[in-house]
């Protein structure tokens, strides 16, 4: 069983007593929020925590809106616009390859923004990642197509897609950390789960833009020019997101650990948690905690497959291969996503009470069992049946997805937490989500049945189940070390 960072007190304990003031200080002066290293026991901290969590949610929603717009556009239009071919499957594969390309560049984002977040602060990394995502997304909306620019068009598209991936590599870890490290005692999973609603909210927001656009201009108009509208609207959203993120305070846990780097460390300090900021956090992480990174990746891989096959791939697969109306697929995925959002906070609160593993294990078992029936519902071509199956599936996903926002960061010490949590989650997203549409396209080209989607997804969820069984409970893990 992998070793956890040293645990000195349960999470539910109050803040530790402040160090004695220096001789020149007034003994009656209360220690500041920053000097205690946590906001969990202060009024200011309790007031700040919800605002920080909402700010994290807003930014994550915008980032995933940008990502979802590209995924939906890949399924609907980007194949023929940038990769024309006489074979529809070849065009779709090319478009999904650009979708996967962003996942390949996510590890670069982990290195870049993980280093910024662990050395310079969580907030700086989050502002930079959001700005990069906005520039790349608006750039896609301004690109010429293959018809007018030839090979330059797909080259530019892939370049911008890679930049989106770098941005996403730094987004998730920073968002959940900023929320979790501001959280009051006993509510870390609850606050960390708030930005976890961002992916589904981003998808719903993209659908709210794409569906009316499709209905107004028609499919031909959307393919011809209107596909650019959702990308260009990102400008407004990014401006709002940057304003929100620049108004919140830095993580108190980061401030505390940063202050410790300038102070002599006692001989009793834990050897497992680095006292100073590593110049290369990823190198230190892989030397000290390789097992946690691999098991954490495995714990999240099944949920990534469920999300991306449902939200991205099936929206293309249903209409093209099974003749299901596009609006039916978008509606089914949207209703399921909304149901998942609705239970995200209650699930996280349960994880704060009984632990992360019991809740996530329940979700993993449910996804293993439900994966085949969920995708088998596509064979019915009935909108109500598909919507019901997707709703159950995405609610089971919430049991895995909601607590993981606290679970993965709790596996790593504060000075490596941004890099560690991001690395595990992004690797899971890349392996379980980024390549899922490609694998699914290949599977269906050979077996022509939606059942293969269920078997593929169920296998990855089984892997998550096994990894969760190998990892310890982290609910009571000390978080400011």
């Amino acid at each position: 069983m992998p070793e956890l960072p040293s645990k000195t007190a349960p999470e539910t304990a109050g803040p530790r007593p402040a160090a004695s003031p220096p001789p020149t200080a007034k003994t009656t002066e209360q220690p500041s929020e920053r000097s205690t290293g946590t906001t969990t026991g202060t009024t200011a901290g309790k007031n700040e925590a919800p605002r920080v969590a909402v700010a994290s949610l807003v930014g994550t929603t915008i980032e995933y809106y940008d990502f979802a717009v590209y995924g939906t556009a890949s399924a609907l239009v980007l194949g023929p616009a940038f990769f024309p071919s006489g074979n529809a499957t070849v065009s779709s594969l090319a478009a999904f390859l650009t979708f996967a390309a962003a996942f390949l560049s996510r590890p670069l984002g982990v290195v870049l923004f993980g280093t910024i977040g662990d050395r310079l602060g969580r907030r700086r990394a989050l502002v930079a990642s959001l700005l990069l995502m906005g520039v790349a997304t608006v750039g896609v909306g301004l690109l010429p197509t293959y018809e007018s620019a030839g090979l330059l068009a797909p080259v530019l598209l892939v370049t911008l897609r890679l930049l989106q991936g770098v941005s996403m590599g730094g987004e998730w870890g920073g968002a959940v950390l900023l929320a979790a490290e501001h959280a009051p005692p006993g509510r870390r999973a609850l606050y960390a789960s708030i930005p976890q609603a961002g992916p589904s909210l981003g998808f719903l927001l993209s659908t709210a833009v794409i569906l009316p656009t499709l209905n107004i201009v028609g499919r031909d108009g959307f393919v011809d020019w209107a596909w650019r509208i959702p990308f260009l609207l990102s400008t407004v959203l990014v401006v709002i997101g940057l304003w929100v993120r620049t108004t919140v305070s830095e993580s108190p846990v980061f401030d505390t650990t940063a202050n410790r780097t300038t102070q002599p460390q006692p001989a009793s300090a834990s050897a497992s948690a680095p006292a100073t900021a590593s110049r290369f956090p990823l190198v230190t992480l892989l030397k000290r905690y390789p097992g946690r990174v691999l098991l954490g990746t495995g714990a999240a891989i099944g949920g990534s497959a469920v999300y991306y096959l449902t939200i991205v791939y099936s929206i293309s697969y249903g209409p093209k291969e099974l003749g299901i109306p596009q609006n039916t697929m978008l509606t089914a995925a949207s209703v399921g996503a909304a149901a998942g959002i609705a239970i995200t906070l209650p699930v996280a609160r349960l994880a704060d009470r009984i632990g992360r593993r019991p809740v996530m294990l329940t979700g993993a078992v449910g996804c293993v069992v439900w994966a085949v029936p969920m995708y088998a519902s596509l064979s019915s071509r009935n909108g109500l049946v598909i919507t019901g199956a997707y709703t159950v599936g995405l609610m089971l996903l919430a049991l895995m997805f909601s607590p993981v926002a606290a679970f993965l960061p709790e596996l790593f010490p504060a000075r490596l937490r941004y890099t560690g949590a991001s690395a595990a989650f992004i690797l899971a997203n890349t392996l379980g989500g980024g390549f899922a549409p490609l694998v699914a396209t290949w599977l269906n080209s050979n077996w022509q049945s939606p059942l293969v989607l269920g078997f593929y997804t169920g296998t990855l969820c089984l892997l998550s189940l096994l990894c969760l069984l190998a990892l310890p409970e982290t609910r009571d893990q000390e978080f400011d070390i």
Side-chain angles (χ1 to χ4, degrees):
M1 186 174 293
E3 178 193 356
L4 281 170
S6 61
K7 180 170 73 172
T8 59
E11 177 190 352
T12 54
R16 291 175 293 180
S20 299
T24 56
K26 295 180 181 179
T27 56
T28 58
E29 183 181 350
Q30 295 300 316
S32 68
E33 205 175 294
R34 291 289 181 257
S35 66
T36 63
T38 179
T39 60
T40 57
T42 66
T43 303
K46 292 177 181 178
N47 292 335
E48 177 81 352
R51 193 163 67 90
V52 170
V54 171
S56 295
L57 172 63
V58 169
T60 303
T61 299
I62 294 169
E63 290 244 13
Y64 275 91
Y65 164 83
D66 293 344
F67 218 70
V69 162
Y70 189 96
T72 305
S74 294
L76 298 178
V77 69
L78 293 185
F82 289 89
F83 306 96
S85 169
N87 187 313
T89 300
V90 172
S91 291
S92 293
L93 274 172
F96 283 133
L97 273 171
T98 64
F99 183 79
F103 286 84
L104 291 176
S105 63
R106 282 187 178 194
L108 179 59
V110 171
V111 175
L112 175 62
F113 293 108
T115 301
I116 295 172
D118 281 330
R119 288 182 60 84
L120 302 178
R122 306 346 185 176
R123 191 179 66 165
R124 290 185 184 183
L126 283 174
V127 170
S129 71
L130 181 58
L131 182 60
L132 180 60
M133 175 63 82
V135 170
T137 303
V138 173
V140 172
L142 297 174
L143 283 180
T145 62
Y146 185 91
E147 183 180 3
S148 58
L151 287 174
L152 179 62
V155 169
L156 291 174
L157 179 66
V158 171
T159 301
L160 292 172
R161 185 63 181 157
L162 290 172
L163 291 177
Q164 280 190 320
V166 172
S167 170
M168 289 300 295
E171 169 61 30
W172 183 86
V176 300
L177 277 188
L178 201 63
E181 291 180 342
H182 275 89
R187 297 194 174 188
R188 195 154 63 218
L190 176 65
Y191 279 81
S193 74
I194 292 175
Q196 281 293 78
S200 293
L201 283 175
F203 170 73
L204 290 175
L205 185 58
S206 72
T207 303
V209 173
I210 290 172
L211 268 181
T213 305
L214 272 170
N215 291 333
I216 292 171
V217 304
R219 188 176 181 88
D220 290 340
F222 189 84
V223 170
D224 186 36
W225 63 272
W227 63 269
R228 301 177 184 275
I229 294 175
F231 290 97
L232 298 178
L233 282 178
S234 178
T235 305
V236 177
L237 298 176
V238 168
V239 169
I240 295 172
L242 288 173
W243 174 75
V244 169
R245 282 195 166 170
T246 54
T247 60
V248 299
S249 63
E250 180 55 81
S251 158
V253 174
F254 174 82
D255 280 350
T256 299
T257 55
N259 290 337
R260 285 177 185 163
T261 64
T262 63
Q263 299 173 358
Q265 297 299 309
S268 60
S270 169
S272 65
T276 60
S278 171
R279 186 175 181 184
F280 301 106
L282 183 62
V283 174
T284 305
L285 176 77
L286 295 179
K287 284 182 178 179
R288 298 192 179 200
Y289 310 108
R292 291 182 215 168
V293 174
L294 291 176
L295 289 173
T297 298
I301 199 170
S304 296
V306 173
Y307 180 83
Y308 283 102
L309 284 178
T310 304
I311 297 299
V312 176
Y313 177 75
S314 68
I315 291 175
S316 170
Y317 172 74
K320 289 182 179 179
E321 302 297 330
L322 301 176
I324 302 171
Q326 192 76 64
N327 285 2
T328 298
M329 293 305 306
L330 286 170
T331 300
S334 298
V335 171
I341 292 171
I343 68 169
T344 292
L345 296 186
V347 166
R349 195 69 188 103
L350 181 64
D352 274 327
R353 290 175 178 171
I354 68 173
R356 293 36 165 151
R357 286 177 75 251
V359 178
M360 295 177 68
L361 286 169
T362 301
V365 170
C367 285
V368 169
V369 172
W370 189 247
V372 171
M374 178 169 68
Y375 293 112
S377 70
L378 295 172
S379 297
S380 72
R381 296 172 174 80
N382 183 296
L384 289 177
V385 172
I386 297 170
T387 300
Y390 274 28
T391 299
V392 173
L394 291 174
M395 290 178 74
L396 289 171
L397 170 63
L399 295 179
M400 299 174 66
F401 200 57
S402 178
V404 81
F407 183 66
L408 292 182
E410 288 164 348
L411 293 174
F412 305 99
R415 297 305 294 178
L416 299 174
R417 188 170 292 143
Y418 198 125
T419 302
S422 295
F425 189 78
I426 294 306
L427 279 174
N429 261 228
T430 300
L431 299 175
F435 291 101
L438 288 173
V439 174
T441 300
W442 178 80
L443 289 172
N444 276 303
S445 69
N446 287 278
W447 283 277
Q448 291 87 38
S449 170
L451 290 178
V452 297
L453 301 180
F455 289 118
Y456 172 60
T457 305
T459 300
L460 291 181
C461 290
L462 179 60
L463 175 60
S464 289
L465 175 63
L466 296 175
C467 289
L468 283 168
L469 289 172
L471 285 165
E473 178 57 61
T474 61
R475 179 174 66 109
D476 295 330
Q477 179 62 36
E478 178 66 25
F479 209 51
D480 64 348
I481 58 172

